[in-house]
């Protein structure tokens, strides 16, 4: 298995994986919106990065977005997505993607990595717990603009 930064050339593979993940989690995001957001993230490394796992074809991805927070005193990475195709789950692909994402965040100067886990997604929560993440005593809220 190899893990590389996504590029404009691998954008379609990234979009296919994100489409599968969003379908699995019943997230409705128009394809053009997803394509443009992904293209910006791939083209502007100061905003974050997308890591693509292949064996030999695309089997998973990790998406990091950078933000500045006072709570952590500087740059923070948001692990926006971590997805592995069902046929490759249980083979440490997610663990490898997570470790590479953490390394990338450290190299970028991030002071923390934050993420969210869907309620009832114990397998993902266990992965993050093994990697040293801890749940926060608050809930995430959102408002679309």
């Amino acid at each position: 298995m190899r893990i590389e930064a996504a590029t404009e050339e691998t954008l379609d593979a990234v979009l296919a994986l994100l489409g599968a993940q969003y379908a699995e989690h019943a997230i409705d995001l128009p394809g053009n919106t997803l394509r443009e957001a992904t293209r910006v993230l791939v083209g502007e490394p100061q905003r974050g990065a997308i890591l693509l796992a292949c064996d030999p074809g695309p089997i998973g991805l990790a998406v990091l977005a950078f933000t500045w927070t006072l709570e952590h005193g500087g740059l923070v990475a948001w692990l926006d997505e971590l997805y592995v195709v069902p046929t490759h789950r249980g083979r440490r692909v997610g663990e490898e993607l997570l470790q590479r994402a953490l390394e990338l965040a450290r190299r970028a100067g991030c002071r923390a990595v934050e993420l969210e886990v869907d309620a009832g997604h114990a397998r993902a929560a266990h992965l993050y717990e093994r990697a040293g993440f801890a749940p926060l005593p608050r809930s995430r809220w959102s408002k679309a603009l």
Side-chain angles (χ1 to χ4, degrees):
M1 174 181 65
R2 71 181 194 285
I3 298 176
E4 301 174 344
T7 64
E8 188 73 30
E9 291 76 30
T10 59
L11 193 60
D12 286 336
V14 167
L15 291 168
L17 289 168
L18 289 171
Q21 180 184 21
Y22 288 2
E24 189 175 315
H25 292 280
I27 297 171
D28 184 28
L29 184 65
N32 289 340
T33 300
L34 182 59
R35 178 175 288 280
E36 184 55 30
T38 305
R39 179 176 283 124
V40 168
L41 193 55
V42 166
E44 298 180 26
Q46 72 277 12
R47 292 185 181 265
I50 300 174
L51 298 173
L52 184 63
C54 296
D55 186 32
I59 59 169
L61 57 75
V63 179
L64 287 175
F66 299 146
T67 188
W68 192 269
T69 71
L70 298 179
E71 180 179 350
H72 292 289
L75 192 64
V76 172
W78 176 259
L79 183 62
D80 195 39
E81 308 294 350
L82 181 66
Y83 178 73
V84 176
V85 296
T87 56
H88 282 74
R89 292 178 187 162
R91 299 181 184 182
R92 302 186 68 168
V93 176
E95 187 175 328
E96 289 293 321
L97 279 164
L98 179 58
Q99 289 307 313
R100 288 288 298 276
L102 292 173
E103 290 169 15
L104 192 152
R106 278 188 201 96
R107 284 195 316 270
C110 292
R111 301 176 67 89
V113 175
E114 296 195 335
L115 55 86
E116 69 181 7
V117 179
D118 284 344
H121 202 171
R123 187 176 192 168
H126 186 62
L127 168 68
Y128 299 130
E129 191 173 51
R130 287 192 325 263
F133 285 84
L136 298 173
R138 56 184 168 220
S139 61
R140 181 173 180 218
W141 293 29
S142 178
K143 178 176 174 56
L145 301 177

